[in-house]
């Protein structure tokens, strides 16, 4: 049996801009996980998840291809990850077989509501890692990463890949998005095993080291949000506001670059300043496009943190889900947490998941 865990993530800065090729973001992996277990099966394979206990998926093979019993399943990212790995396996001459795949998630609450910690990315990464291990594919970390990017892009066309990077590599990272149009032009013309060995235009990932004493808090508003819908709304509405959107991209890129430099310099004050700057940029984007990024509850989360001297903003697409707080060692975080609870905001018990690999 192969067992793999992949961590969830929080966006720190660069949201919305990062969906454009070559634009950067900063993310962090957190210590809540999706676990995938793969083991050999006979007769038919099964995919099960504790999120969908009453909806297992049964599959078999026909002439070597994966065939499922029906298409209406909640396992779209898992199935896409399986297909991407098996495409690579075929290219590398690995024999394909039946298997059972079991999924356990810590990225939602007891009722199944997601916290906005990147469950789709985490399950994609965990499935790619586990199945590549099951088939004995000798792939580098970057090749596994690109397989996961392919799988995610096949399902969700608006994703940037930053959440995949955080779940794949762990720790604090600076991520620059790849050219998705280029990938789609190559996807079915180049064997997957060759595609993942190529340099991808724009794609870059590098680790960041936080200053000593920098603290991260996450708060959940209790309202799940649809990242694909929100990003799609902004992408649609930007067309009539091209000048402002171009200015937003330029400003976001500069903000994230300064933020990454502040990490390198160990400058906590500069980090907090750029978090506040990024929040202002996102709020201006919201005003110009009409997309609701910072909801009233997210605004309350931020205001409580700011009163304590911390810097805070929405994380990811906003519209609900999570907000993040960064602060120095002397900040009264207990007071923030207490005030959040009184305001109906759920503090998330999170720590940074350590870096898994040293990146070039």
């Amino acid at each position: 049996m192969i067992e793999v865990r992949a961590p969830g993530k929080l966006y720190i800065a660069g949201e919305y801009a990062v969906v454009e090729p070559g634009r950067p973001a900063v993310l962090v992996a957190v210590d809540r996980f999706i676990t995938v277990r793969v083991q050999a099966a006979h007769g038919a394979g099964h995919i099960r998840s504790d999120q969908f206990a009453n909806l297992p998926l049964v599959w078999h093979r026909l002439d070597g291809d994966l065939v499922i019993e029906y298409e209406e399943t909640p396992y779209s990212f898992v199935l896409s990850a399986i297909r991407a790995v098996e495409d690579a396996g075929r290219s590398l001459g690995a024999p394909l077989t039946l298997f059972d795949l079991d999924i356990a998630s810590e990225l939602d609450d007891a009722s199944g509501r997601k916290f906005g910690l990147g469950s789709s990315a985490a399950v994609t990464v965990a499935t790619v890692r586990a199945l590549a291990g099951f088939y004995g594919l000798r792939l580098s970390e970057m090749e596994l990463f690109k397989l996961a990017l392919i799988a995610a892009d096949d399902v969700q066309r608006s994703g940037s890949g930053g959440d995949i990077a955080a779940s794949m590599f762990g720790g604090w990272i600076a991520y620059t998005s790849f050219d998705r149009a280029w990938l789609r032009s190559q996807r079915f013309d180049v064997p997957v095993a060759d595609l993942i060995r190529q340099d991808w235009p724009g794609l870059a990932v590098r680790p960041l080291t936080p200053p000593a004493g920098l603290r991260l808090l996450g708060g959940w508003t209790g309202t799940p949000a649809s990242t694909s819908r929100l990003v799609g709304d902004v992408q649609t509405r930007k067309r009539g506001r091209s000048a402002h959107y171009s200015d937003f991209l330029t400003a976001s890129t500069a903000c994230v670059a300064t933020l990454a430099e502040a990490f390198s310099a160990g400058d906590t004050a500069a980090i907090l300043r750029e978090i506040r700057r990024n929040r202002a940029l996102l709020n201006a984007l919201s005003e110009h496009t009409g997309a609701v990024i910072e909801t009233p509850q997210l605004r309350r989360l931020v205001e409580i943190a700011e009163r304590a001297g911390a810097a805070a903003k929405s994380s990811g697409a906003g519209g609900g889900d999570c907000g993040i707080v960064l602060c120095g060692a002397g900040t009264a975080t207990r007071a923030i947490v207490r005030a959040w609870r009184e305001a109906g905001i759920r503090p998330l018990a999170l720590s940074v998941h350590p870096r898994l690999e040293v990146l070039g």
Side-chain angles (χ1 to χ4, degrees):
M1 184 183 75
I2 303 293
E3 179 175 305
V4 170
R5 292 196 312 170
K9 63 82 182 106
L10 286 169
Y11 265 94
I12 302 300
E15 297 94 334
Y16 286 95
V18 74
V19 302
E20 305 292 350
R23 300 294 178 174
V26 170
L27 302 94
V28 65
V30 296
D31 62 346
R32 291 205 181 192
F33 305 91
I34 281 183
T35 302
V36 169
R37 299 178 183 87
V38 179
Q39 57 187 344
H42 304 280
H46 300 80
I47 299 175
R48 309 178 187 90
S49 171
D50 62 359
Q51 294 176 289
F52 311 107
N54 297 321
L55 192 60
L57 182 149
V58 180
W59 65 279
H60 60 278
R61 290 200 182 276
L62 180 63
D63 296 329
D65 293 328
L66 183 150
V67 178
I68 61 177
E69 298 292 335
Y70 49 86
E71 289 292 342
E72 294 298 324
T73 83
Y75 299 109
S76 55
F77 284 92
V78 175
L79 291 169
S80 188
I82 292 170
R83 292 184 179 112
V85 174
E86 293 198 345
D87 283 350
R90 288 188 186 93
S91 300
L92 297 169
L96 305 183
T97 185
L98 290 170
F99 54 84
D100 291 332
L101 188 148
D102 293 283
I103 305 160
S105 176
E106 301 172 0
L107 303 186
D108 48 19
D109 69 2
S111 70
R113 292 184 299 173
K114 296 179 180 180
F115 292 136
L117 299 176
S119 58
S120 297
V123 78
T124 302
V125 167
T127 300
V128 165
R129 281 188 175 277
L131 200 55
F134 178 75
Y135 283 132
L137 305 184
R138 296 186 176 182
L139 301 175
S140 70
E141 290 296 304
M142 282 301 294
E143 289 166 346
L144 290 170
F145 174 44
K146 290 173 182 175
L147 267 184
L149 288 174
I150 289 169
D153 189 70
D154 283 348
V155 176
Q156 188 177 70
R157 310 293 274 182
S158 61
S160 70
D163 48 1
I164 297 285
S167 287
M168 180 64 70
F169 297 113
W172 297 83
I173 62 167
Y175 170 77
T176 304
S177 57
F178 61 100
D179 186 337
R180 297 193 304 279
W182 172 87
L183 173 61
R184 291 163 195 166
S185 73
Q186 304 291 307
R187 174 70 176 92
F188 298 106
D189 292 335
V190 178
V192 170
D194 295 334
L195 183 56
I196 61 177
R197 293 188 182 114
Q198 294 182 18
D199 290 333
W200 289 17
L203 180 64
V205 187
R206 65 183 177 91
L208 298 175
T209 301
L214 184 71
R215 301 183 68 179
L216 168 71
L217 299 178
W220 186 50
T221 64
T223 304
S226 170
T227 297
S228 59
R229 180 184 60 79
L230 286 161
V231 172
D233 284 350
V234 170
Q235 288 291 301
T236 298
R237 296 170 185 176
K238 74 180 183 183
R239 293 168 189 153
R241 302 163 178 83
S242 57
H244 178 270
Y245 189 70
S246 178
D247 291 344
F248 164 73
L249 294 179
T250 299
S252 178
T253 299
C255 175
V256 173
T258 304
L259 178 63
E261 290 169 4
F263 270 83
S264 298
D267 189 341
T268 298
I271 289 172
L272 303 192
R273 183 174 63 249
E274 295 309 313
I275 293 298
R276 296 183 177 110
R277 180 183 173 192
N278 197 242
R279 180 200 176 202
L281 290 173
L282 291 171
N283 283 341
L285 178 69
S286 176
E287 181 180 347
H288 280 83
T289 62
V292 179
I293 297 174
E294 186 176 280
T295 63
Q297 196 71 333
L298 280 170
R299 186 175 305 113
R300 181 73 175 137
L301 178 153
V302 171
E303 290 170 348
I304 289 169
E306 288 285 351
R307 283 203 299 269
K313 58 182 284 294
S314 57
S315 178
D321 277 341
C322 291
I324 55 105
V325 174
L326 293 182
C327 55
T331 305
T333 55
R334 289 184 180 178
I336 294 173
V337 167
R338 184 169 56 251
W340 276 357
R341 288 198 176 103
E342 291 171 355
I345 297 164
R346 178 174 174 176
L348 297 175
L350 301 172
S351 297
V352 176
H353 181 60
R355 188 178 307 150
L356 303 180
E357 292 289 330
V358 176
L359 308 177

